[in-house]
Amino acid sequence: MKRILLPLFLLLITASYVTAQTAATTLSGTVRDQSGRALPGVNVFLKTTFDGASTDSLGHFRFSTKQAGTLPLVVTLLGYQLQEQAVVLDGKPQRFAFTLKEVRNQLGAVTITSGTFEAGGDKRNTVFSARDVVTTAGASADVAGALNTMPGTTRNGEEGRLFVRGGAAGETRQYLDGVPLQSPYNASVSGVPARGRFSPMLFKGMAFSTGGYSAEYGQALSAIVALQSEDLAPETQTGISLLSLGALSLSHQQRYERSSVAVTGDYMNMRPYFGLVPQRLLTAFQSSGGSIALRQRTGEAGMVKAYGAFNQQHIGVQQPEAGWEHGRPVHLEANNVYLNTTFRSPLRRGWSVQTGAAATRDVQTARIAVRDTQTQQVSDQARHELEQSVVGRMVLTNDSASAYWNVKLGVEGLAQSNQQRYEFSPQDTVFRFSEQRLATFAESGIAFTNKLVGRVGSRAEYSAILNRWNVAPRVALAYQVNEKTQLSGAWGYFYQTPGSDILLRAENPQRLRFERAQHFQLTYLRSHNDRTLRVEAYAKTYAHLVRFTENAPQSLLTPYDPASYRSTGRGYANGVDILWRDRKTVKNADYWVSYGFLETRRQQRLDPVLAVPTFAARHNLSVVGKYWFSKLHTQVGATYTYNSPRAFHNPNEADGYNQGRLPSFQDLSLNASYVTTLWKNLTIVHVSCTNVLGRENVFGYRYAAAPDANGVYSGTAVRPSAPRMVFVALLISINKKRPADIDTAPE
């Protein structure tokens, strides 16, 4: 099953990609210097939004916005003093004439890009956007699915999560509106890929940093994904989504002058789909959920957001395992509730504040079939998990204290409790831990010259369960070679507490340390005329990874001896990532090619020696293409993914550890979206198919715990639940009419 839960309104955002927008306020004008000469390439945008444009060779700009009320219009160019002017957005066209004053060493136009693929915000050099999430074939409108086509990632089809530069999935941290997400993925069973909890429709922008990221972010050894939710809903509309997977989604958003409300609800039952597409693993998949998003503008630029979501799931799986002819039956029941509220506002003397808090409650019950070795009778054993957390954050920023530097200060706190209870005879066994964590950071951007900027900062964290502090200094530099080309680099330390599975069982957590990674990377970026080339070399070293005793007894209850846990593991990851994206050469087309070379070894948990991790591939290639047929009102897309063979340990081979190699992973996925009207409402018919060629991909092997009479460990392959996933979606947006100029190509 490849990311089977489609989000609400899978491709309504695609409609905005291939159709014109509804009536809005049009802003236009000219920008010149003090001598009256036209200034090309000036960034003109509405502050706190993603609406804006750059001036042409004659200094002209023009763009439209659906925002309402009063917002600052910002005009900025490297080497010139930034200008802001309050603009009343009332639907009437407005024209401006700006004159910029030249200054020396102004901060803000040279952007540190090392490690980061960024979209939205005030950055106009967009490499990857939230829109790509829903138009990338094979991603199934999942954020992680789309980001897995970026360089630096290795696609693990049995997991569905992000594995970045030799790091495990738990080494990538996600943030929503600046607040850490404790449970970013829906519940899943081993061998079945998880999917992100949130629809990409929620986001207006994202930053994917594969290393060297800001001191603002912590608890991530390898990467971060920073997601920014939409502000006010652009318009009032109702949506209906019908999927061939057995899903129905309903939503309604109501826009007021300074506020908006959006409500969603969805239900899915895949049993009818299983009758059409036989499954290897899945025997049941049912889910229901909903969300509500409240937005309120405060003052000229302030915003209060509140978001709540709940989800219920039931998953049935025949899990591949040696000794079980048709797989071991596993059933998972999961319930998740998530609440998030944030506030941002300008203060005095150039300061602004952004605060946020979030609460998560995640409950899971897994029932696993076990067989008595003597009687061969099968019974169920249960594992109950409960995770609860509350996290809060406040960030103060001053961007206008000087034209040559800025400052950002922040504090973050977490309270978390986890519990696992196993129902086994003769009595239940319970594991639990609680954690309180405090973090603070300070960071400043500095303009040394008009072409050279730097960022220096540090983050400090305290963990109550470890009873330890860490301090993580970080530095980055960027040099603008010319208007098309930039060089940048980053170095820093990054810390993370050991995973929850370790803390639940560790006999004495205070014997453990923060796991640590050191990043060093250099980036070449050339972007011009809708073509982008990005090359990044990196070196990453690991220290203080948690290790277990290799010869510890293994069982379902105590897989390793908790008294043996020590922070003595280590590792490294070196490589080169390359991205080429072209939206210019072929009219109405957009394509990108990403390649990553990875050399990595690590020794952690049960690893007896430094070895290639089972989740890492040496070569990773993705080719993504999209084309808009204007006369047919249809967009088609294709994605080809290749990962070189991953490592696995075969106990039947005596020489070496993780010496086995899987077949290479290959997948060709296709999709098509047809834009039309139904009962005079905008409608999209979407068709998608993963693994069109039906390649028999293998994700790993599972071996018996003991050899048979011939001394051979029997094993079974872990494969996708079905060779392909094919689905059709009908998406209707009530009150959103099909524009007359639908034949225009996407921007």
Side-chain angles (χ1 to χ4, degrees):
M1 180 186 67
K2 298 285 187 70
R3 300 180 177 87
I4 53 180
L5 284 180
L6 221 70
L8 194 58
F9 292 137
L10 169 68
L11 289 171
L12 287 182
I13 195 170
T14 310
S16 68
Y17 184 59
V18 298
T19 63
Q21 303 294 318
T22 56
T25 301
T26 299
L27 306 178
S28 61
T30 60
V31 183
R32 300 181 182 278
D33 63 14
Q34 289 177 298
S35 301
R37 293 176 298 182
L39 291 176
V42 180
N43 288 328
V44 185
F45 58 92
L46 289 169
K47 198 170 185 178
T48 74
T49 77
F50 290 88
D51 299 330
S54 296
T55 57
D56 60 19
S57 60
L58 300 177
H60 294 155
F61 70 89
R62 180 186 179 89
F63 67 93
S64 296
T65 179
K66 292 183 179 180
Q67 301 290 332
T70 302
L71 287 176
L73 183 65
V74 179
V75 184
T76 178
L77 178 66
L78 176 67
Y80 293 85
Q81 188 171 349
L82 177 146
Q83 282 195 26
E84 286 191 21
Q85 179 176 327
V87 177
V88 178
L89 305 173
D90 54 6
K92 299 178 181 179
Q94 300 187 48
R95 186 168 180 81
F96 305 87
F98 291 101
T99 300
L100 296 186
K101 179 181 178 181
E102 188 172 1
V103 297
R104 183 175 58 85
N105 300 346
Q106 185 177 6
L107 178 68
V110 183
T111 304
I112 296 171
T113 59
S114 187
T116 302
F117 303 89
E118 195 155 14
D122 298 340
K123 312 293 190 300
R124 296 298 167 202
N125 185 19
T126 298
V127 177
F128 192 85
S129 71
R131 182 177 296 153
D132 292 318
V133 174
V134 295
T135 58
T136 298
S140 298
D142 182 43
V143 171
L147 293 181
N148 267 317
T149 66
M150 290 287 98
T153 63
T154 296
R155 186 170 171 181
N156 281 234
E158 74 277 27
E159 290 278 351
R161 297 172 170 85
L162 285 167
F163 292 77
V164 180
R165 291 182 173 176
E171 295 177 21
T172 296
R173 171 71 64 175
Q174 297 190 31
Y175 285 74
L176 175 57
D177 290 335
V179 181
L181 285 169
Q182 293 301 111
S183 184
Y185 296 99
N186 280 324
S188 187
V189 177
S190 177
V192 177
R195 181 184 173 84
R197 292 194 183 278
F198 306 102
S199 162
M201 288 292 294
L202 180 66
F203 310 126
K204 65 180 178 182
M206 65 180 64
F208 176 40
S209 182
T210 53
Y213 37 88
S214 161
E216 182 177 356
Y217 305 110
Q219 287 295 303
L221 292 182
S222 293
I224 63 103
V225 179
L227 305 167
Q228 293 178 302
S229 68
E230 286 283 359
D231 289 341
L232 299 181
E235 59 188 337
T236 297
Q237 67 178 41
T238 301
I240 303 174
S241 301
L242 298 172
L243 279 67
S244 62
L245 298 179
L248 169 65
S249 295
L250 302 173
S251 77
H252 178 76
Q253 62 183 32
Q254 187 73 33
R255 170 64 188 265
Y256 304 98
E257 181 179 357
R258 297 179 61 81
S259 63
S260 66
V261 180
V263 181
T264 69
D266 58 85
Y267 174 77
M268 172 179 284
N269 190 333
M270 293 189 66
R271 284 192 180 275
Y273 179 79
F274 294 166
L276 299 174
V277 182
Q279 304 287 306
R280 295 191 184 103
L281 303 180
L282 284 168
T283 59
F285 194 100
Q286 184 175 339
S287 70
S288 59
S291 68
I292 181 169
L294 307 175
R295 305 288 189 256
Q296 176 67 53
R297 189 176 297 281
T298 61
E300 291 187 359
M303 177 68 67
V304 176
K305 299 181 182 180
Y307 176 80
F310 73 92
N311 177 262
Q312 296 179 321
Q313 289 180 266
H314 171 226
I315 304 174
V317 174
Q318 296 291 113
Q319 204 168 68
E321 189 160 330
W324 295 77
E325 183 178 357
H326 300 292
R328 177 193 289 245
V330 177
H331 287 269
L332 177 67
E333 301 282 347
N335 294 274
N336 178 272
V337 177
Y338 177 75
L339 301 173
N340 175 298
T341 181
T342 61
F343 169 70
R344 70 170 189 263
S345 177
L347 302 175
R348 296 182 178 181
R349 298 181 180 179
W351 288 93
S352 62
V353 62
Q354 180 167 339
T355 64
T360 303
R361 189 175 192 272
D362 197 59
V363 182
Q364 298 185 22
T365 297
R367 300 194 177 276
I368 307 168
V370 295
R371 180 184 292 131
D372 187 283
T373 55
Q374 295 181 347
T375 66
Q376 298 300 306
Q377 290 185 343
V378 176
S379 61
D380 282 347
Q381 294 182 341
R383 183 188 68 214
H384 305 279
E385 298 186 41
L386 171 63
E387 178 180 349
Q388 300 179 96
S389 65
V390 177
V391 60
R393 196 166 189 256
M394 182 174 70
V395 180
L396 295 172
T397 305
N398 193 323
D399 286 319
S400 58
S402 169
Y404 316 126
W405 60 273
N406 62 21
V407 64
K408 182 178 289 186
L409 307 171
V411 62
E412 183 180 299
L414 166 77
Q416 175 186 357
S417 66
N418 284 52
Q419 176 180 295
Q420 277 188 359
R421 180 169 60 88
Y422 291 85
E423 292 182 358
F424 293 132
S425 300
Q427 62 182 10
D428 291 357
T429 302
V430 179
F431 302 97
R432 60 168 59 90
F433 78 88
S434 62
E435 164 75 312
Q436 295 81 43
R437 192 165 57 239
L438 177 67
T440 183
F441 68 88
E443 190 170 71
S444 178
I446 305 169
F448 299 105
T449 70
N450 283 349
K451 293 188 174 183
L452 179 65
V453 301
R455 184 182 68 210
V456 58
S458 185
R459 182 182 181 92
E461 295 179 326
Y462 173 76
S463 167
I465 194 169
L466 301 181
N467 192 26
R468 293 180 184 271
W469 283 90
N470 71 62
V471 177
R474 301 174 192 178
V475 178
L477 287 172
Y479 177 72
Q480 188 179 49
V481 179
N482 53 49
E483 62 179 9
K484 304 175 185 177
T485 307
Q486 179 175 302
L487 299 175
S488 59
W491 169 88
Y493 282 103
F494 303 84
Y495 290 91
Q496 189 170 338
T497 53
S500 296
D501 59 329
I502 294 173
L503 296 178
L504 277 166
R505 290 172 170 78
E507 186 175 275
N508 186 359
Q510 293 188 7
R511 290 181 179 175
L512 303 179
R513 303 176 64 177
F514 288 98
E515 296 182 314
R516 189 186 75 191
Q518 181 180 199
H519 296 190
F520 180 78
Q521 55 199 38
L522 293 173
T523 307
Y524 170 87
L525 175 65
R526 180 178 176 84
S527 184
H528 178 65
N529 202 21
D530 275 339
R531 299 183 182 95
T532 299
L533 173 63
R534 178 191 183 94
V535 182
E536 186 164 276
Y538 62 90
K540 182 166 59 172
T541 57
Y542 290 96
H544 311 315
L545 302 180
V546 176
R547 288 194 63 204
F548 309 145
T549 301
E550 309 83 272
N551 300 320
Q554 298 187 27
S555 69
L556 190 60
L557 270 178
T558 55
Y560 319 109
D561 178 12
S564 71
Y565 293 7
R566 293 293 186 274
S567 297
T568 57
R570 58 194 177 96
Y572 68 87
N574 304 321
V576 177
D577 293 335
I578 301 173
L579 173 69
W580 166 255
R581 185 164 188 176
D582 183 357
R583 289 180 275 192
K584 185 67 174 181
T585 303
V586 180
K587 185 180 180 181
N588 297 346
D590 176 16
Y591 74 91
W592 68 82
V593 180
S594 71
Y595 168 76
F597 169 80
L598 171 65
E599 172 67 24
T600 182
R601 298 285 192 280
R602 64 167 56 193
Q603 184 180 22
Q604 65 174 22
R605 306 213 171 189
L606 279 180
D607 296 334
V609 295
L610 278 172
V612 177
T614 58
F615 48 76
R618 190 178 182 87
H619 302 281
N620 303 276
L621 172 70
S622 288
V623 181
V624 180
K626 306 167 189 179
Y627 187 83
W628 168 246
F629 293 92
S630 57
K631 292 184 179 180
L632 300 177
H633 311 153
T634 300
Q635 179 176 280
V636 298
T639 298
Y640 173 74
T641 300
Y642 169 85
N643 297 150
S644 60
R646 287 159 46 194
F648 73 98
H649 182 65
N650 185 347
N652 295 309
E653 296 183 15
D655 53 336
Y657 175 74
N658 278 5
Q659 75 284 54
R661 291 296 180 266
L662 300 173
S664 64
F665 174 87
Q666 299 184 52
D667 181 285
L668 175 64
S669 296
L670 303 176
N671 66 8
S673 302
Y674 172 62
V675 184
T676 183
T677 57
L678 189 62
W679 303 299
K680 299 183 179 181
N681 294 298
L682 177 67
T683 302
I684 299 172
V685 180
H686 178 76
V687 181
S688 175
C689 180
T690 64
N691 195 24
V692 172
L693 302 180
R695 178 177 173 82
E696 286 291 329
N697 289 306
V698 178
F699 299 143
Y701 291 92
R702 292 180 178 171
Y703 291 92
D708 59 19
N710 298 318
V712 176
Y713 291 84
S714 60
T716 183
V718 178
R719 301 177 183 273
S721 184
R724 302 178 184 86
M725 188 182 77
V726 182
F727 67 85
V728 180
L730 176 67
L731 307 111
I732 305 171
S733 182
I734 300 172
N735 301 328
K736 186 178 180 70
K737 309 302 181 183
R738 177 171 173 243
D741 57 348
I742 193 172
D743 290 336
T744 59
E747 295 181 358

